[in-house]
Amino acid sequence: MGDKRIIAVNSNCYHGYSIERAIEGIKNAGYHYVELTATKGWTEHVFPTQSFEYLQGLKDKLEDMDLVPFAMSGHTNLMDEERLPDFIMNIKLAAFFGCNYIVTSVGEAHLTDKRKSGNEVLINHINSLIPYLNRYHIQMVIETHGEHGSGKILEDIVEAVDSEYVKINYDTANVIFYGKVKPEEDIKNCIKNVTYMHLKDKLGDKGEWNFPAPGKGYIDFPRIFSELRNAGNNCPFSIEIEFTPKGTANAEEVDQAIKDAAEYLISQGFEL
């Protein structure tokens, strides 16, 4: 028997293409779970401002295709008090789709935003969201990203919040790109609070935007998998492939990349 943890595809892999096209590609590649992307100004595959008719139609389409939208990427700047209502709307949208997780970074992923605060303010903002997470039974997972680009940094924040509803989304490539650390070593600092993982590979220099399919870069995934298994950590994997700044020539290139990722994970003992 293979490893039975949830293995999903982040619809952000299909950045620049429609959610309908993303769903088609993910289903055809053999996956059963999808992380829907609702990232303002970047990939708005689903968004609270879309019509109920459209969102319900998409929910029906996912059900018809036997694809489970178990998570939502709802990145919002948690430093900015004015953006908290937007994140609350994303929590409600995640609940509408039946998601168990909502992913965010501390800052606004992919948007330039100068608003920064100390950890005390950040922790107060996170605490204000917990009643909504509790109401909708959704776990918020904070992503290793930007100035909070290592597991060690996020561990301090999550420990201070001390809630079952607030844990870590460990992005294996972001900790190299932003945190300048090795994921197979850094993950030991926070593994007990990692309840979600963006499985993303890396090529090129640390600060180079080059994120191929898992298994096509230089990240030591077997060692990371070993650390997780040794810790009894069965967190979901969500595959994220962000390619290079020039993007992809067509959606079929994304299709092939997520198929390559599936083959790699199966070779490592996992089941889709």
Side-chain angles (χ1 to χ4, degrees):
M1 290 292 289
D3 191 314
K4 293 292 289 182
R5 77 180 67 223
I6 287 174
I7 295 178
V9 175
N10 188 341
S11 74
N12 185 55
C13 296
Y14 287 85
H15 173 68
Y17 305 101
S18 72
I19 184 61
E20 289 82 6
R21 180 61 182 81
I23 289 170
E24 177 186 322
I26 293 166
K27 174 65 177 177
N28 289 341
Y31 295 90
H32 305 288
Y33 296 89
V34 60
E35 175 185 332
L36 299 172
T37 308
T39 303
K40 184 176 183 179
W42 183 252
T43 305
E44 298 179 7
H45 277 161
V46 294
F47 217 66
T49 54
Q50 293 170 336
S51 73
F52 174 75
E53 181 180 17
Y54 175 76
L55 291 169
Q56 183 61 54
L58 188 58
K59 187 176 180 181
D60 292 342
K61 183 179 179 69
L62 286 162
E63 188 173 343
D64 290 344
M65 297 183 76
D66 196 29
L67 265 180
V68 179
F70 83 114
M72 179 172 293
S73 185
H75 291 274
T76 307
N77 189 353
L78 300 180
M79 296 287 204
D80 186 351
E81 190 171 7
E82 294 178 1
R83 292 303 316 281
L84 297 181
D86 292 343
F87 190 71
I88 291 167
M89 286 303 298
N90 281 350
I91 292 172
K92 293 177 179 180
L93 183 62
F96 170 80
F97 279 101
C99 299
N100 303 115
Y101 301 88
I102 185 165
V103 181
T104 188
S105 48
V106 171
E108 196 98 45
H110 304 298
L111 287 185
T112 301
D113 193 323
K114 304 296 184 185
R115 184 75 61 96
K116 297 176 184 176
S117 307
N119 277 1
E120 186 178 345
V121 173
L122 170 62
I123 289 163
N124 286 339
H125 287 176
I126 292 172
N127 281 331
S128 74
L129 297 168
I130 290 174
Y132 298 94
L133 299 168
N134 180 31
R135 180 185 304 173
Y136 297 107
H137 306 292
I138 292 175
Q139 189 174 80
M140 178 170 78
V141 286
I142 305 175
E143 181 172 337
T144 46
H145 191 278
E147 292 186 354
H148 299 79
S150 75
K152 184 173 175 54
I153 292 171
L154 284 186
E155 174 77 2
D156 291 341
I157 293 168
V158 168
E159 284 288 301
V161 172
D162 191 24
S163 169
E164 63 179 314
Y165 292 105
V166 181
K167 298 295 179 182
I168 294 171
N169 167 39
Y170 198 89
D171 187 304
T172 52
N174 279 2
V175 298
I176 300 173
F177 186 82
Y178 296 107
K180 310 298 189 251
V181 296
K182 294 181 178 180
E184 64 271 19
E185 296 175 1
D186 176 59
I187 196 169
K188 297 175 185 178
N189 296 312
C190 61
I191 199 161
K192 67 178 181 179
N193 281 313
V194 172
T195 59
Y196 197 91
M197 182 172 282
H198 273 170
L199 216 61
K200 188 159 69 177
D201 214 337
K202 184 80 178 72
L203 283 172
D205 294 336
K206 288 180 179 179
E208 181 181 342
W209 189 280
N210 192 337
F211 305 108
K216 298 294 185 180
Y218 56 67
I219 290 180
D220 189 350
F221 283 115
R223 190 168 158 195
I224 292 171
F225 299 152
S226 178
E227 292 290 346
L228 290 170
R229 286 169 176 148
N230 289 342
N233 187 321
N234 200 44
C235 72
F237 292 161
S238 181
I239 292 163
E240 186 171 34
I241 306 166
E242 293 190 301
F243 302 96
T244 64
K246 69 178 183 180
T248 54
N250 48 53
E252 287 72 28
E253 197 173 330
V254 187
D255 293 342
Q256 186 58 54
I258 65 170
K259 288 176 183 174
D260 290 344
E263 290 177 5
Y264 175 69
L265 288 174
I266 290 169
S267 77
Q268 293 296 310
F270 297 96
E271 296 181 10
L272 297 186

